[in-house]
Amino acid sequence: MGSLQAAVYGRGFERALNPTLPQKAAALMSYITQVAVFENANERTALTAGTVLCVVNGHRIVWADPKEADAFIRAVGYAHPTVSWIADRIEARLQPIPSP
């Protein structure tokens, strides 16, 4: 299992390390910002990847405005908070996508 896959979908002591969708999205965002794959745009990539993960699983992250999303991902990128801190903020903004 690759390190990104292990960070998001890993298991420990016979249980998922990140069992909920917000925790998986948070782990993905945290991993991308900490590994700093790119010279620039790691935070934007992390926010996009976490958002796409939620959408693929039938949910969307609803921000009050673009500035709120920007402040959130900058905090993730610069302060490197815990995955649970990130997950709490995602969970508070997560909404199911209505069926067509």
Side-chain angles (χ1 to χ4, degrees), residues 34-71:
Q34 288 182 19
V35 171
V37 189
F38 307 112
E39 185 176 317
N40 191 355
N42 291 299
E43 290 82 17
R44 287 175 292 196
T45 303
L47 184 62
T48 301
T51 301
V52 169
L53 178 67
C54 291
V55 169
V56 167
N57 285 283
H59 290 77
R60 62 183 172 196
I61 304 172
V62 179
W63 303 101
D65 58 42
K67 289 181 182 179
E68 181 188 21
D70 184 59

Side-chain angles (χ1 to χ4, degrees), residues 43 70-81 85:
E43 290 82 17
D70 184 59
F72 165 77
I73 201 59
R74 286 184 186 276
V76 171
Y78 296 113
H80 300 296
W85 183 91

